[in-house]
Amino acid sequence: MDTDNKAIFTVGMAAKMLDIHPRTLRNYEDKGLIVPTRKGEWRYYTMRDIQWIECLREMIHVHGVSINAIKKLLKYTPCWNIIDCSFEKRKCCSAFLPTSPARHAKS
């Protein structure tokens, strides 16, 4: 099994890894930008989820794209077109893969 796809990080662990408040993750989930694995009331994140959230945060905080704009843009184009990622960066990015959260975030 691909370890990047194994949902092992709780919301608290993921928030700590990303140096953000757990509520931020819940907000991204509420907005449909991330879809963590749910087991009962617990949320679990994969390493690919963590990488996608880092990309989201770059779009929001570095490039100044709003959450609502990201949601709308992702309906029409992959995330690497929004912030014009280089091919080298895309090769390492989970959003570039066909099963990425960036391609499957809910509308």
Side-chain angles (χ1 to χ4, degrees):
M1 177 179 203
D2 183 2
T3 57
D4 284 350
N5 287 323
K6 193 171 183 181
I8 58 173
F9 305 108
T10 64
V11 69
M13 293 168 65
K16 190 170 190 171
M17 291 169 67
L18 294 159
D19 196 29
I20 60 176
H21 195 279
R23 182 68 210 140
T24 302
L25 293 173
R26 292 183 191 106
N27 185 40
Y28 292 163
E29 181 182 1
D30 292 344
K31 298 290 185 179
L33 293 173
I34 59 174
V35 184
T37 300
R38 301 288 299 236
K39 293 179 186 170
E41 293 192 19
W42 290 84
R43 295 169 177 85
Y44 292 93
Y45 298 86
T46 66
M47 196 62 220
R48 292 199 191 283
D49 292 333
I50 301 298
Q51 292 166 338
W52 169 234
I53 295 162
E54 287 173 336
C55 184
L56 278 174
R57 297 197 47 81
E58 179 180 343
M59 285 190 273
I60 295 165
H61 297 288
V62 175
H63 299 283
V65 182
S66 73
I67 290 175
N68 287 335
I70 291 169
K71 281 183 62 172
K72 288 178 185 175
L73 288 168
L74 287 174
K75 290 180 183 179
Y76 303 105
T77 189
C79 63
W80 59 85
N81 285 335
I82 298 170
I83 59 173
D84 197 26
C85 289
S86 69
F87 183 73
E88 287 303 311
K89 186 172 180 181
R90 279 187 251 162
K91 286 192 317 187
C92 302
C93 180
S94 65
F96 194 62
L97 303 172
T99 59
S100 73
R103 292 182 173 266
H104 298 290
K106 57 186 178 180
S107 306

